[in-house]
Each structure stands twice: as C-alpha cells, then as structure tokens.
C-alpha cells in the first residue's frame, strides 16, 4: 500500500516536472511581484528592510494561490478524477499524495529562491534563516487549505477569481504568524511562540484539510 | 423524539406549516424587545462619562456584530446537518442565512466606523475586533460567491456546507491571530469598543437589543426559507394547494 | 436465463434522479446477476450517462436505491466503488505520462503490483505494444480509448461500467472489447454498457430502454 502511494506521489511529481511552465510560472510570478515593491516604494534600505516580511509573504501567498487552482484541474478535465474516486486507496490518502507532490514542485522552489529575494530587500543572515524556516512551516498550510477551495471549484467551468476569494481569508493566520516571526527576528526577540503557532496550524490543517478536500471532490464528481 | 422533529421541522412541508405558526410569535417578540431596547437605550440609559451620548450607537453596533457571528455559527451547524444527515431544510437554512449574515456584518462595520470617528478621530482603525469582523465579511462573501456559481442544487448545498465548516474552524483561529497581530503591532490604547464593566441601566437595553436582532434574524430567516421551500418543491402537490389557497 | 439473485447481484430499485427540478430518470428497475451484461439504450439526452454515473456511485439518486450485496451503495460507497471499472466519455488518461506509465499509475491506484510483462501482454492485446513509451498527449482518439479499455484487462474488478465504449474504436478494437467482455462475463463479472451499437450476441444480455422521462 505504501509502495503504491509512493508510486502515485512520484508519478505526480514527474507529471509536473514534465510540464515545466506549471511550476516555473508561479516562481517567476513570485520573483516579479517581490521586485515590483522596491520600484513602487523607492530604494530606501530601511523602508525595504521594514516591509520585507510583508512583501515576501504576500508574494509567496499570491504565487501559491495562483498555482493551487490547477491541482485538480487536469485530473477533472481528463476524467482522471473519476478514477481516483474508484481507487482501492482512501481518497483522503490520494489527496495527501497529491498535496505532498504539489508542495514539493510548487512551494519548495519558492522557498529555495526566497533568500535571494531577501538579499534584494536587505535582510541579514539571521532574518534570512528565519524567512526560510517560516516559509517551510507556513506554505504547507497554504497548500492544505488551498486544496479544499480548489476541490470545491473543480466542477465549475468558469470560476475565475472565485478561488482566491474563497481561500485568501483563511490564509490570514499563517500570514500573521509568518510575518510576525520575521518581525521578531529583526527585533532579536524569541521566535519559539511564532513557530509553535505555525506548527500547530500545520497540524490542524493536516487533520481537517485532506478529509474536507476529498469530501469536496466527491461533490465535484456530482456535477 | 426524532419523529416529532421530523413531523414539525425536518420535512419541508411540515416546516412550512410550523413556520407559519411560529412567525406571529417571533414578530411579537421582536417588536417588544426592539421597542424596549430602543427607547430605554436611546432615552433612559445614562450617557457614558467618557463618550457622552456617542456611545449609544452601541445599541446597534454590538447586536449586529453579535448576530453576524451567531448567523455564521447557525450556518456551520446547518452545514454539518446538510453534509452528515443530508437534511434539505438545513441546507436551505444555511444558504438563505448567508446574505442576512453578510448584511449584519456590513452593518457592524459601518456602525463601528461611525463610532470610531468621534472616539478615535478616524473612520477606521485596525483594531482587533473590527479586523475580525471585516474578515468575517470576506468569509460571507466567499460563501455567497461559491454558492452563486454552482448550478446544481445538491452540489451547491454540499459545497456550501463544506465552506461553512471550513470557515467556522478557521474563525476562532483568525480571531486570536488577529488579536496577537494587534498586540504585536502596538495598536491604539483605546481599542476596546465595549466598556469592560457596564452599568445595569446600560446593559439591559443592550441585551434587549441583542435579543431583538436575533428575533429579527429568525423572522427574516423563516420568511426566506419559506420562499426557498416553495421554489424547491414547486412541482409537488402540497405547494400547488398552498398556492391556490393564497391566490 | 433467469438466475436466482445472489450476493453478487446488482439491483436497481425504483431509481429516480432529478437535476434542477427536472426529472431525468424515473422508475428505473433492473437486476443484473453475476455473468450478465446490462445494455442501456435510449435516445440522446435520455439519461444514459447519468444512470451510469449513478451506478458508479458518483451521483446519488433522489429516490429509490441501488443494491450491491444486499446493501444500498450509498451506505457503502467507498467499499462499493473499489469494485468498479468506469470508462466514461473522458478516458481518464494522464496526457503527460507515457502509455506504460499510465498503466503503472492505474496499478498503483488499484493497489496491485505493477508487472511489466503483464502490462506488455495487456498492451499487446489492445494493439498498443508499439507505442508503449509514447506520451499519451500524442495518441489518437482511438488509441486513447484502447488505452482506457486496457484498464479493464489490467486490474480485475467485478463491475464494469462502460459509457459508449465503442466511440472512436475501429472494428478491430470493437472485437477486442467484445473479447474482453466475454472473458469478464464468463468469470462471473457484471457489465453495464451504454451503447447504440449491437454488441456480440453471445453475451448473456439484458436490455434497458430509457424512454423520454423528462416530462
């Protein structure tokens, strides 16, 4: 069983990597959005350093919102979703496999490139490391909650900007604790509480999101 | 017990009958509470020693904020009933509640802003409570938007139910994270809208107004649910009979 | 041909389904025993695909029920759905994977060990052995359909639900499909097929004609 699930995760990653644009475009989007801010706010080092957490986190949030809508789309279009529902594995586990592979292919690149953007916004080494850790903790929540929304809109033909409206309010706690940890880092305050809260958010969403996502997918097959 | 519920509330036809019996009582209760709350609150309650008569907007602001949150809770409970027990009546309750809840939330924000102008000197402050209410409004918008684009009735009910459940799990988390965020960013010292302790003369009209708002919600809810029931059951015999009586 | 109903009987009982207050299916009855094929016929728009999606457990009836092993399928949806092969209008083929990888994914979904030799045999049977490593995006409609039907031969499931399986298939492909059906039915499987084409007469077939129920 574990072997089959690993195979499924592996195949998902292979599929995404073969369609390079599907994971490179969110990455480019992230980079460009973050680079727009210095141009809009002016190049002052102190200002940029002060707003850097907000810029990077909102940029990452938007990039993930952009890509998460595709997580079930091709499956629905090709009729593969029907097969997932008939699988010998619980749908919840299949969803989890898909989410893990989505995180690896869509979020990990963002996290890898984020220190580079941190340099552009004049973050120091300590802030950079906190940035990476907070993104590592926060992005799984984005993916888990986003999957619920994505599954809810999967059967709808033209949903346009509906998905961001559905899921962005749910992202607020992660945004608060993610940027909070970076603000604490720049003020040399202890970080444990922010990280603990984000860890708790990961666990809560891990408990609920795959279940609700698979329930939403079954509803989507209804249409 | 379950049978009794089914006879009076769960089946759409029975609910239609029960609700028409309930409505006059609810309207009476609303009128009494509203009249007492309004008159006692606006004329008899003493003026606040700091805020003067400006505080009297509390009698609209707090009840609407409270009702807005209560309605989301009603939606979440109905969502669970829809999803787990496949109750049509719960689904109807959930979907018609959303726009009522959104209006109450909007009212809470507007009255909050009007209150804020004399108290803080600005229309808007990123105060923890106001921010939470704003996010609640976003959640209502999301729910309404989702339901408006799904064509199939059954899918619309169930998708809405999931969204309501997700929202209600998130709401406390959002609320506490916003409070956390507010303290982190050193919000204004005068951030409490409601005084920590309140004189009984002020409190009683407030409670009456909260009750009035809840009764008002119940009245509007029942009226809109009855419309929905008729729309959904339009092809059944009993609706045809009811309609022929009405005309 | 009437056999006594057993555990392995699929019973369709007074099924009614409506969408947006329009009744699509009403009073559908049938029983399908092990080893039988139920052919669903009817004009376009009479609800054939809907009935098949009901039988596959994707949709829920508004009234009536479908029984499998004497239990309504809505009460055992997850367990019931594991018995099903569904080939619908969309083939369920991932276009970014190769033909062989699609089969491998199917095995993983069915929790069955992927045997390359077995997969090769299946592909040979379906006439796809020469394009094993071709990406599914580059296949023709007929080849995609054959690949979708290869699932039937690859993993054993008791109930086959095929919605217009002969679409885009050439005569040779149809022969293969009939062979697959014969093999499945002789092993005690159940097949529910919506098609206008006449299938092989040798199958123990029941007919279900859907009338224009949308009144």
């Amino acid at each position: 069983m574990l072997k089959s699930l690993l195979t499924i995760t592996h195949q998902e990653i292979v599929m995404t990597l073969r369609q390079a644009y599907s994971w490179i475009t969110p990455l480019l989007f992230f980079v460009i959005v973050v680079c727009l801010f210095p141009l809009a706010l002016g190049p002052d080092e102190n200002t940029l350093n002060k707003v850097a957490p907000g810029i990077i986190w909102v940029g990452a949030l938007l990039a993930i919102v952009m890509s998460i809508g595709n997580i079930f789309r091709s499956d629905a279009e090709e009729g593969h979703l029907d097969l997932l529902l008939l699988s010998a594995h619980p749908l919840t586990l299949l969803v989890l496999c898909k989410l893990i592979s989505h995180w690896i292919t869509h979020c990990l690149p963002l996290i890898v490139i984020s220190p580079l953007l941190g340099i552009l916004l004049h973050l120091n080494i300590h802030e950079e490391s906190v940035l990476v850790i907070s993104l590592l903790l926060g992005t799984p929540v984005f993916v888990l909650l986003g999957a619920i929304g994505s599954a809810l809109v999967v059967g709808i033909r033209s949903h346009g900007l509906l998905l961001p409206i559905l899921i962005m309010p749910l992202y607020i706690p992660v945004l608060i604790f993610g940027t909070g940890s970076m603000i604490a880092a720049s003020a040399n305050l202890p970080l444990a509480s922010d990280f603990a809260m984000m860890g708790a958010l990961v666990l809560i969403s891990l408990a609920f999101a795959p279940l609700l996502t698979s329930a939403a997918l079954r509803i989507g097959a209804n249409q | 017990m379950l049978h009794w519920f089914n006879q009076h509330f769960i089946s759409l036809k029975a609910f239609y009958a029960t609700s028409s019996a309930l409505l006059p009582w609810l309207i009476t209760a609303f009128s009494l509470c509203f009249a007492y709350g309004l008159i006692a609150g606006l004329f008899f309650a003493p003026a606040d020693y700091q805020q003067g008569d400006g505080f009297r907007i509390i009698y609209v602001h707090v009840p609407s904020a409270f009702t807005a949150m209560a309605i989301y809770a009603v939606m979440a409970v109905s969502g669970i009933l829809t999803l787990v027990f496949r109750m049509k009546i719960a689904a109807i309750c959930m979907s018609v509640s959303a726009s009522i809840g959104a209006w109450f939330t909007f009212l809470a924000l507007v009255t909050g802003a009007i209150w804020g102008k004399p108290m803080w000197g600005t229309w808007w402050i990123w105060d923890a409570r106001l921010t939470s209410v704003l996010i609640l409004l976003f959640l209502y918008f999301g729910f309404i938007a989702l339901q408006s684009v799904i064509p199939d009735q059954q899918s619309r009910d169930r998708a809405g139910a999931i969204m309501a459940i997700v929202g209600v799990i998130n709401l406390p988390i959002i609320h506490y994270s916003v409070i956390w965020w507010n303290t982190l960013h050193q919000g204004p010292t005068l951030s409490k809208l409601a005084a920590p302790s309140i004189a009984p003369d002020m409190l009683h009209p407030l409670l009456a107004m909260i009750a009035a708002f809840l009764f008002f919600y119940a009245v509007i809810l029942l009226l809109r649910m009855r419309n929905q029931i008729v729309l959904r059951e339009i092809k059944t015999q009993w609706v045809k009979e009811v309609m022929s009586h009405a005309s | 041909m009437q056999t006594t109903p057993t555990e392995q009987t699929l019973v369709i009982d007074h099924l009614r389904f409506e969408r947006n207050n329009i009744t699509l299916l009403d009073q559908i009855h049938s029983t399908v025993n092990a080893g039988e094929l139920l052919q669903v016929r009817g004009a376009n728009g009479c609800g054939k695909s809907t009935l098949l999606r009901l039988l596959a457990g994707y949709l829920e009836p508004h009234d009536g029920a479908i029984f499998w092993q004497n239990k309504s399928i809505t009460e055992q949806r997850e367990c019931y759905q594991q018995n099903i092969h569904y080939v619908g209008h969309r083939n369920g083929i991932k276009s970014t994977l190769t033909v062989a990888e699609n089969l491998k994914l199917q095995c993983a979904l069915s929790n069955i060990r992927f045997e390359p030799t077995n997969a090769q045999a299946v592909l040979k049977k379906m006439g796809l052995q020469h394009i094993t490593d071709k990406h599914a995006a580059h296949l023709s409609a007929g080849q995609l359909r054959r690949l979708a039907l290869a699932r039937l031969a690859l993993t054993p499931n008791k109930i086959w639900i095929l919605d217009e399986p002969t679409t885009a298939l050439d005569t040779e492909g149809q022969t293969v499909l009939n062979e697959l059906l014969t093999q499945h039915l002789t092993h005690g499987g159940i097949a529910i097929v919506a098609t206008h084409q006449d299938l092989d007469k040798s199958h123990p077939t029941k007919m279900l004609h859907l009338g224009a129920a949308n009144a």
Side-chain angles (χ1 to χ4, degrees):
Chain A
M1 178 152 170
L2 192 66
K3 195 156 174 280
S4 319
L5 290 175
L6 281 176
T7 311
I8 292 164
T9 315
H10 175 244
Q11 295 282 41
E12 282 287 333
I13 295 174
V14 167
M15 280 188 258
T16 316
L17 293 184
R18 280 185 190 160
Q19 285 183 304
Y21 69 86
S22 78
W23 63 274
I24 288 178
T25 32
L27 188 62
L28 288 175
F29 177 88
F30 178 47
V31 172
I32 293 171
V33 164
V34 169
C35 290
L36 284 181
F37 279 92
L39 296 171
L41 298 169
D44 178 53
E45 200 171 309
N46 287 328
T47 320
L48 287 181
N49 185 265
K50 194 154 177 276
V51 292
I55 295 172
I56 294 179
W57 266 91
V58 172
L61 184 153
L62 290 176
I64 292 171
V65 168
M66 292 287 153
S67 65
I68 198 89
N70 296 329
I71 190 164
F72 301 115
R73 182 180 292 157
S74 70
D75 286 343
E77 282 167 0
E78 293 169 335
H80 191 67
L81 205 54
D82 290 341
L83 303 186
L84 294 183
L85 302 195
L86 304 181
S87 164
H89 303 289
L91 186 56
T92 316
L93 287 182
L94 296 179
V95 164
L96 204 58
C97 290
K98 286 187 76 78
L99 296 189
I100 291 169
S101 63
H102 187 90
W103 185 80
I104 292 173
T105 49
H106 290 84
C107 297
L108 217 47
L110 301 185
I111 298 172
V112 168
I113 209 155
S114 64
L116 203 64
L117 298 174
I119 292 174
L120 297 183
L121 299 171
H122 310 291
L123 296 185
N124 63 34
I125 293 291
H126 178 52
E127 290 165 336
E128 293 271 23
S129 54
V130 172
L131 170 67
V132 171
I133 296 170
S134 66
L135 282 173
L136 278 171
L137 282 168
T139 47
V141 183
F142 285 165
V143 172
L144 285 161
L145 294 178
I148 304 175
S150 188
L152 283 174
V153 299
V154 79
I156 304 166
R157 289 216 164 61
S158 54
H159 50 74
L161 283 176
L162 175 63
L163 181 63
I165 291 174
L166 283 183
I167 58 179
M168 282 197 300
L170 307 176
Y171 284 179
I172 289 168
V174 184
L175 189 68
I176 288 174
F177 292 115
T179 50
S181 68
M182 289 181 66
I183 292 166
S186 59
N188 280 319
L189 293 170
L191 301 156
S193 59
D194 289 280
F195 286 161
M197 288 305 288
M198 289 172 84
L201 290 177
V202 175
L203 292 180
I204 292 174
S205 24
L206 204 56
F208 286 104
L211 277 173
L212 289 167
T213 306
S214 48
L217 285 175
R218 288 193 186 276
I219 295 166
N222 217 332
Q223 301 182 25
Chain B
M1 178 72 184
L2 200 70
H3 181 66
W4 182 85
F5 260 108
N6 194 26
Q7 264 185 335
H8 294 274
F9 291 101
I10 296 175
S11 113
L12 298 191
K13 185 185 170 188
F15 188 89
Y16 194 83
T18 313
S19 63
S20 59
L22 274 176
L23 268 172
W25 295 102
L26 288 172
I27 292 172
T28 317
F30 159 69
S31 314
L32 290 176
C33 291
F34 192 68
Y36 166 72
L38 207 62
I39 294 167
L42 292 190
F43 299 107
F44 297 111
D48 187 80
Y49 78 101
Q50 269 184 325
Q51 308 181 10
D53 280 331
F55 97 98
R56 292 188 198 278
I57 200 167
I58 197 175
Y59 295 114
V60 185
H61 175 76
V62 170
S64 39
F66 184 84
T67 314
M69 280 186 253
I71 293 177
Y72 206 93
V74 170
M75 281 169 59
V77 172
S78 316
I80 291 168
L81 293 178
T82 308
L83 219 51
V84 179
F85 299 106
R86 306 281 150 91
M87 268 193 228
K88 276 189 188 171
I89 195 73
I92 294 175
C93 172
M94 178 182 69
S95 30
V96 301
S97 287
S99 52
I100 313 176
W103 275 115
F104 275 114
T105 316
F106 181 70
L107 192 62
L109 283 176
V110 170
T111 50
I114 295 171
W115 195 0
K117 185 63 183 167
M119 295 308 134
W120 301 323
T122 169
W123 293 108
W124 183 262
I125 270 188
W126 287 94
D127 155 80
R129 283 174 201 229
L130 275 180
T131 311
S132 295
V133 175
L134 181 66
I135 296 166
L136 181 65
L137 185 65
F138 294 157
L139 287 177
Y140 274 121
F141 283 160
F143 181 92
I144 295 168
L146 177 67
Q147 286 219 317
S148 68
V149 294
I150 302 178
D152 178 58
Q153 186 73 65
Q154 201 184 43
S155 316
R156 188 189 314 153
D157 290 344
R158 295 196 187 153
I162 289 186
M163 198 58 216
I165 293 168
V166 173
V168 92
I169 297 171
N170 254 268
L171 261 180
I173 300 174
I174 292 175
H175 183 72
Y176 286 107
S177 62
V178 167
I179 291 175
W180 169 284
W181 160 83
N182 199 247
T183 51
L184 179 77
H185 292 267
Q186 288 298 317
T189 42
L190 184 75
S191 69
K192 275 185 185 151
L193 287 184
S197 62
I198 183 167
D201 288 357
M202 291 178 175
L203 183 63
H204 293 156
L206 184 62
L207 293 178
M209 283 302 269
I210 291 177
F213 271 54
L214 289 175
F215 281 127
F216 180 73
Y217 161 61
V219 171
I220 300 290
L221 176 70
L222 287 188
L223 288 174
R224 302 187 69 174
M225 281 174 80
R226 286 161 63 84
N227 279 344
Q228 273 294 316
I229 289 172
V230 169
L231 277 177
R232 288 197 189 191
E233 301 272 277
I234 195 110
K235 286 168 86 185
T236 59
Q237 193 56 39
W238 73 267
V239 167
K240 283 177 188 152
E241 278 166 24
V242 168
M243 291 296 110
S244 63
H245 272 287
S247 60
Chain C
M1 188 177 306
Q2 197 68 36
T3 49
T4 48
T6 58
E7 281 272 287
Q8 307 292 322
T9 306
L10 195 66
V11 180
I12 308 172
D13 183 21
H14 288 85
L15 212 59
R16 188 171 68 84
F17 183 81
E18 56 182 54
R19 172 153 281 172
N20 298 328
N21 269 332
I22 296 166
T23 307
L24 282 175
L25 297 167
D26 203 3
Q27 296 291 326
I28 310 286
H29 311 266
S30 199
T31 47
V32 198
N33 294 313
E36 278 184 344
L37 183 147
L38 179 72
Q39 189 176 351
V40 184
R41 305 191 80 153
N44 291 121
C46 68
K48 290 193 296 292
S49 298
T50 309
L51 177 63
L52 262 52
R53 287 189 76 81
L54 279 162
L55 286 167
Y58 294 130
L59 300 173
E60 280 175 34
H62 285 77
D63 222 338
I66 298 160
F67 293 94
W68 169 247
Q69 298 180 342
N70 302 322
K71 205 172 157 195
S72 165
I73 63 165
T74 35
E75 288 163 25
Q76 47 160 351
R77 184 153 69 166
E78 266 98 292
C79 289
Y80 168 72
Q81 285 190 320
Q82 295 184 7
N83 295 308
I84 290 185
H85 265 312
Y86 174 81
V87 179
H89 294 297
R90 288 167 298 189
N91 292 308
I93 306 294
K94 296 301 300 181
S95 57
T96 35
L97 292 180
T98 66
V99 170
E101 284 168 336
N102 262 298
L103 292 188
K104 195 175 170 192
L105 184 58
Q106 180 57 38
C107 281
L109 285 175
S110 302
N111 203 15
I112 286 175
R113 252 174 74 95
F114 177 73
E115 307 277 4
T117 47
N118 184 26
Q120 269 307 321
V122 169
L123 287 175
K124 189 146 189 258
K125 189 175 175 67
M126 301 309 298
L128 297 170
Q129 71 280 18
H130 56 292
I131 49 167
T132 316
D133 292 322
K134 206 167 168 180
H135 280 250
H138 304 137
L139 299 189
S140 75
Q143 287 172 323
L144 281 174
R145 186 43 57 141
R146 283 173 181 233
L147 182 52
L149 293 172
R151 289 206 295 272
L152 304 175
L154 188 69
T155 60
N157 277 4
K158 287 210 187 76
I159 305 169
W160 291 5
I161 297 178
L162 314 177
D163 197 354
E164 305 283 3
T166 52
T167 314
L169 276 189
D170 51 15
T171 40
E172 188 200 332
Q174 291 179 18
T175 317
V176 176
L177 173 65
N178 271 314
E179 281 169 22
L180 285 176
L181 279 170
T182 310
Q183 205 177 19
H184 176 60
L185 296 170
T186 47
H187 283 83
I190 285 177
I192 295 149
V193 185
T195 178
H196 292 288
Q197 305 234 347
D198 287 317
L199 294 163
D200 200 332
K201 292 281 185 295
S202 62
H203 303 314
T205 306
K206 270 187 182 169
M207 283 286 180
L208 181 63
H209 286 275
L210 296 181
N214 11 352

